[in-house]
Amino acid sequence: MYVCICHGVTDTQIESAIDNGVETMKGLSQELNVGSQCGKCCQCTKRVLNRKLLQIAEAQPQVA
């Protein structure tokens, strides 16, 4: 699904950037230019970011 129409960025591209180490909106903006033009994609981008970071956190073994 397209998240940022201005730059043609999809949720898959956002998830891939997160898999490659991007962990913040600022990082996604620098990497993919999301939110850098009209800003309408910011809320959806944040949802994708938070969902993906939660998936990564849940997959990590807990250290006691």
Side-chain angles (χ1 to χ4, degrees):
M1 154 183 83
Y2 280 94
V3 174
C4 178
I5 302 302
C6 297
H7 296 286
V9 179
T10 65
D11 58 340
T12 305
Q13 290 173 295
I14 293 169
E15 290 176 355
S16 178
I18 296 165
D19 285 337
N20 290 326
V22 178
E23 296 180 337
T24 64
M25 276 297 294
K26 184 176 180 179
L28 289 172
S29 182
Q30 291 172 341
E31 182 86 14
L32 303 172
N33 292 321
V34 293
S36 64
Q37 195 155 348
C38 78
K40 291 183 179 180
C41 62
C42 289
Q43 287 185 349
C44 187
T45 302
K46 287 177 188 176
R47 283 194 297 270
V48 174
L49 174 64
N50 290 335
R51 184 181 69 233
K52 186 67 175 175
L53 290 176
L54 278 172
Q55 287 176 353
I56 292 169
E58 289 173 352
Q60 298 292 326
Q62 293 186 359
V63 178

